[in-house]
């Protein structure tokens, strides 16, 4: 798995491939749901077999759904449908980040919506993967919140993972302490089952990074990957939302 370093500097300064400029983002507001939450993505409007149209590449400079077929196929993600529900599946070895650019979403402020919730379902875990070891740094499913980028281009991140080997509750620091990893699920016990998670991202940021996070983070990313171990990963993602703080 490639380290998430220096790439987000490109969010601010890079021209885009395939005609998609960083300031021409595919989303400007998130739908408000009945419970008061903001829907980032449930894939319900996407065509099965496609890449999601509102997600950008890792650098936030282009939309992979608009790539040529050969380039789209390198992503190994596609929208699936099961019993009338649409979701995103990764099925492959070499993963790539997908980036939802919340930095320009007009109705999102982390102080008002500090809780990130999502569902995912793991099918195949990369064999022997361990997020604390660069030579085996693979993961069946992960979701990131990217808050800011320092002057070296290193992003400040919290990353939630389903680990092959590390126990749930493990917390790690990487990339000069700028990436904080929290293992929220581990191992094979719950393979094939949808699991819903909620994390108060603002509280996690205060505890792990110190201070208050920026009111509007840069992006939410997803990544599944098995390239370091050379073994496949297969996982599904759905219902990514931000919620108000509970009373």
């Amino acid at each position: 798995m490639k380290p998430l370093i220096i790439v987000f500097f490109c969010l601010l300064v890079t021209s885009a491939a395939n005609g998609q400029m960083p300031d021409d983002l595919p989303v400007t507001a998130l739908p408000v749901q009945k419970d008061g939450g903001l829907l980032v993505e449930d894939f319900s409007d996407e065509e099965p077999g496609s890449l999601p149209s509102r997600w950008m590449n890792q650098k936030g400079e282009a939309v992979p759904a608009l790539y040529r077929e050969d380039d789209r196929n390198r992503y190994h993600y596609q929208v699936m449908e099961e019993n009338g529900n649409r979701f995103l599946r990764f099925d492959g070895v070499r993963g790539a980040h997908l980036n939802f650019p919340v930095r320009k979403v007009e109705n999102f402020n982390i102080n008002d919506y500090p809780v990130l919730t999502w569902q995912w379902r793991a099918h195949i875990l990369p064999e022997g993967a361990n997020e604390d070891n660069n030579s085996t740094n693979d993961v069946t499913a992960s979701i990131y919140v990217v808050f800011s980028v320092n002057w070296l281009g290193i992003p400040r991140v919290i990353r939630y993972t389903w680990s092959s080997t590390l126990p749930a509750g493990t917390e790690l620091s990487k990339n000069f302490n700028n990436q904080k990893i929290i293992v929220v699920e581990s191992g094979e016990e719950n393979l094939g089952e949808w699991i819903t998670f909620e994390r108060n991202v603002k509280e996690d940021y205060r505890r792990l990074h110190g201070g208050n996070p920026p009111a509007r983070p840069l992006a939410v990313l997803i990544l599944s990957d098995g390239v370091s171990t050379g073994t496949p990963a297969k996982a599904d993602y759905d219902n990514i939302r931000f919620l108000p703080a509970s009373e």
Side-chain angles (χ1 to χ4, degrees), residues 95-158:
H97 299 80
L98 288 177
N99 171 331
F100 193 97
V102 295
R103 68 190 179 92
K104 284 204 170 181
V105 172
E106 296 170 354
N107 60 338
F108 174 61
N109 185 313
I110 203 166
N111 298 307
D112 299 325
Y113 299 95
V115 178
L116 177 66
T117 180
W118 72 95
Q119 291 179 296
W120 58 25
R121 176 175 60 178
H123 301 281
I124 299 173
L125 307 179
E127 294 179 11
N130 181 332
E131 297 92 310
D132 198 27
N133 186 330
N134 287 336
S135 65
T136 57
N137 184 19
D138 291 333
V139 68
T140 190
S142 62
I143 187 164
Y144 300 66
V145 180
V146 182
F147 295 95
S148 60
V149 178
N150 69 18
W151 66 278
L152 292 172
I154 301 175
R156 178 161 287 193
V157 173
I158 295 178

Side-chain angles (χ1 to χ4, degrees), residues 10-77:
C10 298
L11 267 169
L12 305 178
V13 301
T14 302
S15 298
N18 296 303
Q20 180 70 47
M21 297 296 291
D23 288 332
D24 183 23
L25 299 178
V27 179
T28 58
L30 298 177
V32 181
Q33 299 193 298
K34 291 181 179 179
D35 63 359
L38 297 180
L39 177 64
V40 175
E41 184 65 89
D42 65 2
F43 306 100
S44 61
D45 295 332
E46 302 289 349
E47 286 297 316
S50 67
L51 282 165
S53 61
R54 291 180 291 270
W55 290 73
M56 305 187 80
N57 66 357
Q58 181 185 19
K59 296 180 181 180
E61 65 182 10
V63 176
L66 303 178
Y67 287 176
R68 293 169 300 186
E69 183 177 2
D70 289 348
D71 293 327
R72 291 198 308 269
N73 291 340
R74 293 190 181 100
Y75 271 75
H76 303 295
Y77 296 96

Side-chain angles (χ1 to χ4, degrees), residues 142-219:
S142 62
I143 187 164
Y144 300 66
V145 180
V146 182
F147 295 95
S148 60
V149 178
N150 69 18
W151 66 278
L152 292 172
I154 301 175
R156 178 161 287 193
V157 173
I158 295 178
R159 174 183 169 205
Y160 304 101
T161 72
W162 184 320
S163 181
S164 295
T165 59
L166 297 176
T170 300
E171 295 184 351
L172 308 170
S173 292
K174 304 190 80 171
N175 293 353
F176 308 102
N177 293 320
N178 285 286
Q179 182 180 134
K180 304 295 185 179
I181 299 173
I182 303 175
V183 178
V184 295
E185 183 61 51
S186 178
E188 298 182 345
E189 181 177 354
N190 293 317
L191 287 186
E193 299 180 14
W194 283 107
I195 303 178
T196 301
F197 293 93
E198 285 189 12
R199 298 293 308 198
N200 190 311
V201 175
K202 183 176 179 179
E203 290 183 358
D204 283 342
Y205 184 97
R206 286 172 167 172
R207 180 171 58 83
L208 296 172
H209 286 297
N212 289 316
R216 189 171 295 165
L218 295 179

